[in-house]
């Protein structure tokens, strides 16, 4: 059985580290939708050793902080589901009170029509967001390798 | 403005610590649905200091490990959304391939009718699961207070 996240980046690759990577997803209605993907194939968060879990969540929090600083969203949503692709990945989603689903989860039924103008305004900021993420993540994996026993 | 998670446990209280608590939710169709609630009012995961984040996710992983050991679910789903109640809480949900929504998220549209018999079989195990969680969490907050600067 092949795993799509073992074989492909899984989205627009923003930053690639030795242990994990940051991608930008293409999910209609949610322009600022990123994912941290653990490079090695594990299904569950608790399949990671403690130091690996810490490293993974440091990356999630770092991405969250950059999204908050760059975009001032109304809320950040974090989730590791993996029901369809059981390879550990964390959704990091900037939510706005005007988005089509707020306050419902992005996977629920829409609450209102999409707002193309406001979505486009967020999308226009994504190159700057990606650049800020790349700057924030520079050296992230290398630094952590000194501190933590890492997969493989 | 009052916050329900500042004023109430938020569900069936399974374990109460100094910094966080573990509750069992009552969500139709998903009997093994737990939440780790950070006691202090913060909205976003990255509002926590690094040591607090680590402590919080150690609790999430501990609960996940107990659910996996006790219930052998098909998948664990983790999420911190907080769009409706912006007080940091982590959903920890045991999912099964027979549940009404799998592989969709629990917030999405149902994929099939609920299976009352199999739900009841999981529900029958919850007293043992709660006991195992209480045993696993005994001393959790106290131990961590030695290691980490904690809220308040």
């Amino acid at each position: 059985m092949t795993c799509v996240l073992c074989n492909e980046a899984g989205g627009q690759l923003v930053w690639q580290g030795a242990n994990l990577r940051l991608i930008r997803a293409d999910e209609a209605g949610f322009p600022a939708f990123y994912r941290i993907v653990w490079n090695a194939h594990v299904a569950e968060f608790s399949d990671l050793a403690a130091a690996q879990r810490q490293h993974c969540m440091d990356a999630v929090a770092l991405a969250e902080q950059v999204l908050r600083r760059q975009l001032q969203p109304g809320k950040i949503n974090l989730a590791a589901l993996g029901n369809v692709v059981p390879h550990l990945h964390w959704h990091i989603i900037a939510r706005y009170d005007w988005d089509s689903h707020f306050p419902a989860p992005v996977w629920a039924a829409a609450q209102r029509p999409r707002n193309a103008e406001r979505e486009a305004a967020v999308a226009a900021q994504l190159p700057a967001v990606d650049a800020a993420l790349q700057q924030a993540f520079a050296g992230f994996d290398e630094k952590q390798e000194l501190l933590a026993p890492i997969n493989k």
Side-chain angles (χ1 to χ4, degrees), chain A residues 1 16 36 48 50 72 74 82 84-85 89 99 103 126-127 132 134 147:
Chain A
M1 205 177 82
Q16 174 75 57
I36 291 285
L48 299 183
Q72 293 88 46
V84 175
V85 180
H89 57 284
D99 77 35
L126 295 180
Q134 285 158 356
L147 303 175

Side-chain angles (χ1 to χ4, degrees), chain A residues 18-136:
Chain A
N19 301 286
L20 52 84
R21 61 187 183 268
L22 175 62
I23 63 174
R24 177 148 54 76
D26 182 17
E27 300 283 351
F30 307 100
F33 192 135
Y34 291 80
R35 293 191 182 106
I36 291 285
V37 180
W38 192 256
N39 291 336
H41 187 89
V42 297
E44 302 286 7
F45 181 56
S46 65
D47 286 336
L48 299 183
Q52 295 171 325
R53 283 193 274 108
Q54 185 181 350
H55 185 54
C56 185
M57 296 314 292
D58 282 350
V60 170
L62 183 57
E64 174 180 310
Q65 286 164 336
V66 173
L67 294 189
R68 291 176 70 186
R69 190 172 64 230
Q70 294 284 318
L71 295 172
Q72 293 88 46
K75 190 72 189 68
I76 294 285
N77 289 175
L78 305 177
L81 307 178
N83 302 328
V84 175
V85 180
H87 177 133
L88 182 63
H89 57 284
W90 281 93
H91 305 284
I92 305 164
I93 315 165
R95 301 296 307 279
Y96 297 90
D97 61 6
W98 51 260
D99 77 35
S100 55
H101 286 55
F102 199 88
V106 301
W107 305 281
Q111 305 286 309
R112 65 190 65 83
R114 290 171 57 180
N115 184 321
E117 194 178 346
R118 301 188 93 160
E119 282 182 28
V122 174
Q125 299 178 71
L126 295 180
V129 174
D130 288 357
L133 286 164
Q134 285 158 356
Q135 186 173 16

